Amino acid sequence: MLNGKMRSGIERNAAEHALVQRVLHGERDAFREIIAQYQKLVYHIVYRLVSDETDREELCQEIFIRVYENLAAFKFQAKLSTWIGRIAYNACINFFKKKRLPIAAPLDREGTAGAETTTGHGMRIDDIGCTPEHLPDAAAEKAELYACLEREIARLPVPYRALITLFHLEEMSLKEIAGVMSLPEGTIKSYLFRARKLLKSRLLTTFAAEDIQ
Amino acid sequence: MKHLTDDELQRYLDSPAAGRNSRMAAHLQTCSRCRHELETYRKLFGLLKSAPETSLSPHVQEEVMRCIEGSPMQRRVSMEGVLFALAVLAGMGIFAYFVVSGAVSLAWSVSPATSTAGTKLLAGLRALTPAALRTPSVFVLALVAPALLYGVDKLFLQKMMKREA
């Protein structure tokens, strides 16, 4: 007897298989479905890793074109989302290499990567008034908290940013993230713990624990 | 009192079943400092789950669809079709050649007179192919080559592209 999780996995595989086959048989609308289904995943990865909006759009385009061109080579050995995530992550890494930007900057004692000094919104860290006295009301405080969080995520090394996004936003398992980032599961786990510890301590330098909600 | 480490607190929240072992649960019941730390992590995880209010620009999808018109995958599929067709044609050619030559030999051994038509057909087939190509090994190669190409494409090129992706 199959349990619910296994059954849904089999159904998902069958649906992915059918969708990919439709694309391989030249059905253009099927590829639109793939874009619609995975654009959030791709955009979240690109958004967290690359700060410039024009670069983000170009990368997203490039990623989906690569997905299309390589779809015939997809052997269903992993979930389609893992495969597309890997293409997106590798495209971002290649982008960093091309621009000669640091990817895995070693963290100093306080955990500062010191590489990327812009937020996800393309603002410089210094541009954000990140002190409670600048916050007029609860909504503004929440917005500021999110801005601070994004800023702190942007300060993390690239692999940390990617896995925080994949684990918390995309709710991927450690095994799937290991597949996306081509790293051992144990490394992913230790990076994740370190990244969150860093974020917690950095947010606490600005906000009281009670304000983080 | 030994407090829970950051890793333990995070594990406790990540996997409720594994994390809620009796030692951690018992400690959290008595230690307000660790409960406070746990609560901070819980709030942080909640924040991290909130998606940034962003989305892919609508024109990106249209641009992708425009770019994939006649992109390599389409050519790739048709290349596979050509190779498959070549393999089938070569196979049919070999089959025809050996069937006709075999039939002619058989007919000649039974009655040389009845083999005239077959002999003419075989001569015609031979005239169509250069002498150098009429050896069985060349025909076997002709059959195997497209299959080999197809195999190389499937096993090697696609694996390479996958790695590249």
Side-chain angles (χ1 to χ4, degrees), chain B residues 112-134:
Chain B
T114 57
S115 69
T116 317
T119 309
K120 278 183 183 167
L121 184 60
L122 186 60
L125 271 175
R126 282 187 170 160
L128 283 174
T129 49
L133 295 180
R134 261 183 268 139

Side-chain angles (χ1 to χ4, degrees), chain B residues 32 82 122 128 136 154:
Chain B
S32 60
V82 168
L122 186 60
L128 283 174
K154 276 271 178 209

